[in-house]
Amino acid sequence: MAAASGDSGYGVNFPASSPHVVAVGGTTLRPDGSARGWDETAWTPGTDQGAGSGCSGRLPKPAWQDDPGCDHRTVADVAAVADPATGVAVYQTYGGNGWYTYGGTSAAAPVIAATYALAGPPPPGSDPASFPYRHPAALHDVTTGPAPTACTPAYLCTAGPGYDGPTGLGSPNGVDAFRAS
């Protein structure tokens, strides 16, 4: 259900480009003094690095996706922390001993899958990938982040208000965006 968008910056990968999965982009997450307590930006550390994003050249755009600059499936849908410098902490007992920090969109995808699990089972016959598009206000809109690569249209590789390629509609703000209604 949740597929990593890839870690090579602008460009789409399968299975994230499939209209049958939730394509998960990536962010950098750092503590700050805001009310939320976190500063979140698109994860794009350099040329050919960062959250995968873009427009599929072959796979159809699902009915629930309506960004204007791509006639086919656009990646990503949502995002979670993926920067290896600020990634997820994992206690490793096999092949290691202690806490390690992991990153990449392959670390972000399980965060989104877990958020769907916390939201509860989807109704039979529903399309869970469409749920965030019904509730974008229930997500943290990630609006900034460096863009080492230029692309057209720019929103496919640069974070900004509303939908963008690297972070989709945003990152989880609870589970409401991951429910059917």
Side-chain angles (χ1 to χ4, degrees):
M1 172 201 270
S5 69
D7 300 341
S8 299
Y10 181 66
V12 296
N13 297 301
F14 189 83
S17 61
S18 169
H20 305 291
V21 303
V22 176
V24 181
T27 66
T28 296
L29 191 61
R30 297 189 196 296
D32 71 3
S34 69
R36 180 182 177 206
W38 300 95
D39 176 53
E40 193 166 28
T41 60
W43 173 50
T44 52
T47 303
D48 299 329
Q49 293 178 325
S53 64
C55 182
S56 172
R58 297 181 182 182
L59 296 170
K61 182 180 288 297
W64 38 263
Q65 197 174 48
D66 64 359
D67 62 294
C70 181
D71 292 334
H72 293 88
R73 172 73 161 116
T74 312
V75 173
D77 296 312
V78 294
V81 63
D83 185 339
T86 66
V88 295
V90 175
Y91 191 82
Q92 190 170 339
T93 59
Y94 182 79
N97 193 11
W99 288 99
Y100 295 86
T101 302
Y102 290 94
T105 57
S106 58
V111 171
I112 296 301
T115 306
Y116 270 99
L118 290 169
S126 66
D127 188 352
S130 70
F131 298 172
Y133 289 86
R134 296 180 196 170
H135 311 288
L139 295 160
H140 290 288
D141 188 9
V142 180
T143 60
T144 60
T149 303
C151 66
T152 302
Y155 78 91
L156 291 177
C157 61
T158 304
Y163 181 86
D164 59 70
T167 66
L169 296 166
S171 64
N173 181 17
V175 299
D176 288 346
F178 302 90
R179 292 184 173 134
S181 57

